[in-house]
């Protein structure tokens, strides 16, 4: 595998992926905060809630991938 043949380069690549994941997570957290700041009517609250759930799901997925990368 690439990791076994070129460990230093592979580890740097994994670190880059991890940094990218952290950046995505931070962006999603900011999106959550922006959604929370919106004052919307009751009908729009349902849509906002759907978006919050979608963002939280993405954040959980990113956390899972980050843990997998750390275990390599």
């Amino acid at each position: 595998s690439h990791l076994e043949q070129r460990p230093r380069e592979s580890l740097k690549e994994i670190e880059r992926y991890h940094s990218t994941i952290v950046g995505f997570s931070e962006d999603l957290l900011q999106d959550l905060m922006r959604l929370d700041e919106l004052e919307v009517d009751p009908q729009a609250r349902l849509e906002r809630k759907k978006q919050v759930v979608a963002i939280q799901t993405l954040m959980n997925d990113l956390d899972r991938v980050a843990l997998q990368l750390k275990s390599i």
Side-chain angles (χ1 to χ4, degrees):
S1 81
H2 185 70
L3 183 59
E4 292 168 353
Q5 295 171 356
R6 305 179 86 170
R8 182 169 288 140
E9 292 86 358
S10 296
L11 290 175
K12 285 182 181 181
E13 191 171 338
I14 290 169
E15 289 172 5
R16 282 194 303 273
Y17 288 142
H18 189 266
S19 293
T20 300
I21 288 170
V22 169
F24 286 155
S25 293
E26 290 172 357
D27 291 344
L28 288 169
L29 184 58
Q30 288 178 3
D31 291 343
L32 278 177
M33 293 185 334
R34 286 187 198 110
L35 280 171
D36 191 48
E37 292 171 357
L38 292 176
E39 293 185 26
V40 294
D41 60 61
Q43 184 68 16
R45 282 189 187 137
L46 293 174
E47 184 59 35
R48 180 175 63 183
K49 178 65 177 171
K50 288 180 193 176
Q51 296 308 313
V52 166
V53 170
I55 290 171
Q56 289 171 333
T57 299
L58 288 171
M59 291 177 74
N60 289 338
D61 291 345
L62 288 171
D63 287 345
R64 212 172 2 266
V65 172
L67 285 174
Q68 289 173 343
L69 286 174
K70 283 189 173 192
S71 69
I72 295 177

